[in-house]
Amino acid sequence: MSYDWPLNPFDTPHPVRAYFNDPRISGRSRAFHFGIDVSAPNGTPVFAVEAGTVHLQDQRAVSVVTGEGEFGYWHVVPAVAHLQDVSRHQLLGHIDAPWLHVHFAERRNGEYVNPLRPGALTPWHDDTRPTISRVTFSRNGTEVPAERVHGSVDVIAEAFDTPPIAVPPPWSGLPVTPARIRWRVLHAGVVVRPWHTPVDFRATLLPQSAFARIYAPGTRQNHADAPGLYRFYLAHTWSTTTLSDGAYKLQVQAIDLAGNSGSRTVGFTVANNV
């Protein structure tokens, strides 16, 4: 089921500055972003994308329960009452200062799902390609030279995507996360380890317990005028002893919800018996 945008104009895509399952880090707390952040000035009216019954979660959070699920609107000063019935495109409230966005979330069958998935929030067009900026091998937090990889190592990729619609300052030019990351290994042009997809943000919200499995240390979330850094575990304690000594190529591919992809190939040498 598709639905319009929660901002006017309803039939035009708006800038999105944070994606589903982006990292959310505060002190010792680590979690995944359970919606998307639609950028707009403080005071901007926010409207219901579907008809339903209002539930006021708190003083700045409105949800609308529909026949098929629930839509949430956070950082909003409500203009509706608890248990009020609202129609599609009815005013729910206004974006509260200092947030400069409405956090928009969708829940179906008790699970948060990605509003930017194909067939959901419409229209949405994305022609940017994700970027893999770096791939490293490490052991116990110390980088292992690619020229001499041995034993069990963690494989980490730094990757990001670019919002297809420019986001206004102070959140302009900041990265978002790809929807999916996969990797494989080749030797002399022959695949010796097939594609494996350790990062997949396309469907539902990942549990908080999975954070340390997905995001490697050094990961940062975006802040105003301060870009985040997304470091993804491709593998934990990957045993290179499954490969013979010699030269290999590790291919990494990052893909967004529209199917746009970016890739990076890194050469490495397995040296377990040298």
Side-chain angles (χ1 to χ4, degrees), residues 137-189:
F137 303 92
S138 70
R139 183 182 299 108
N140 299 324
T142 300
E143 189 168 330
V144 175
E147 302 79 26
R148 192 178 175 83
V149 179
H150 60 281
S152 295
V153 294
D154 297 329
V155 188
I156 298 170
E158 296 178 8
F160 65 91
D161 202 357
T162 302
I165 302 174
V167 177
W171 297 90
S172 55
L174 303 184
V176 289
T177 51
R180 184 162 56 107
I181 301 177
R182 63 180 189 166
W183 67 294
R184 67 179 181 175
V185 176
L186 294 87
H187 177 63

Side-chain angles (χ1 to χ4, degrees), residues 14-17 37-41 100-101 163 165-174 224-225:
H14 295 262
V16 177
R17 79 181 202 202
D37 290 346
V38 184
S39 181
L100 292 171
H101 74 272
I165 302 174
V167 177
W171 297 90
S172 55
L174 303 184
D225 294 319

